[in-house]
Amino acid sequence: MPDLTIREAGQTEAALIAELTRQCWANKVASSSSGHRENTEQVAAELAHGGGFIMYLDDVPAGSVRWLPVDMDASIWEMRRMGVLPAFRGQGYSEHLLEAVILAAQTAGIEELRLGVRIDQPRLLDLYAAYEFELAPELDYAHANPAEPKPYVMRRFLR
């Protein structure tokens, strides 16, 4: 079993997170997804307003996740771009990233976590439901791609 470490990302890791996102999306997510065009500047801006984690397996970057306040409401975070590299999939590592964000949000006193699930990735709904996220059809995903169908929005209240 590899040594798993999850570290909070700083501005100096923006390029790494952008690269991880593009690699995680390759051959997995529809080519129209903006995740394929992730760049250092976008990631750095999101880290400056929110935060992120990088997962390492035996000191090798293997996945990442980010969060941002919703409409600058500091009491609600929206999770973004969670992904695990293909070589490490199917072993439950994404759950470690998810748990890290939930714990960080609880520690920070955040009231609610939200996330979007692409319509073409419905199997992810069960993963998030297992962590007490519920479908919230009344909400719009703040970062929805207008060129694609609206994603499912899920939320978890933390208080």
Side-chain angles (χ1 to χ4, degrees), residues 38-156:
E38 201 78 325
N39 66 55
T40 302
E41 294 75 24
Q42 290 168 319
V43 174
E46 289 192 3
L47 291 174
H49 289 86
F53 288 118
I54 301 172
M55 179 178 60
Y56 295 84
L57 297 170
D58 289 334
D59 294 320
V60 174
S64 65
V65 64
R66 300 191 302 268
W67 63 86
L68 283 172
V70 173
D71 296 326
M72 299 316 240
D73 180 343
S75 70
I76 303 171
W77 284 358
E78 183 178 83
M79 290 179 46
R80 308 224 336 110
R81 307 278 201 227
M82 187 168 75
V84 174
L85 292 174
F88 304 106
R89 289 187 187 139
Q91 301 172 61
Y93 291 124
S94 60
E95 286 90 339
H96 293 282
L97 286 168
L98 181 56
E99 290 169 0
V101 175
I102 292 168
L103 180 60
Q106 289 170 328
T107 301
I110 299 305
E111 296 176 11
E112 180 182 337
L113 279 174
R114 294 181 186 172
L115 55 86
V117 176
R118 293 178 54 87
I119 296 297
D120 59 1
Q121 301 280 324
R123 62 181 179 67
L124 295 176
L125 297 173
D126 289 338
L127 166 67
Y128 295 121
Y131 284 87
E132 300 176 27
F133 283 84
E134 297 178 350
L135 285 170
E138 71 279 10
L139 298 176
D140 287 322
Y141 186 63
H143 298 93
N145 182 340
E148 297 186 332
K150 287 185 174 189
Y152 298 105
V153 177
M154 298 184 83
R155 70 170 15 148
R156 176 179 168 173

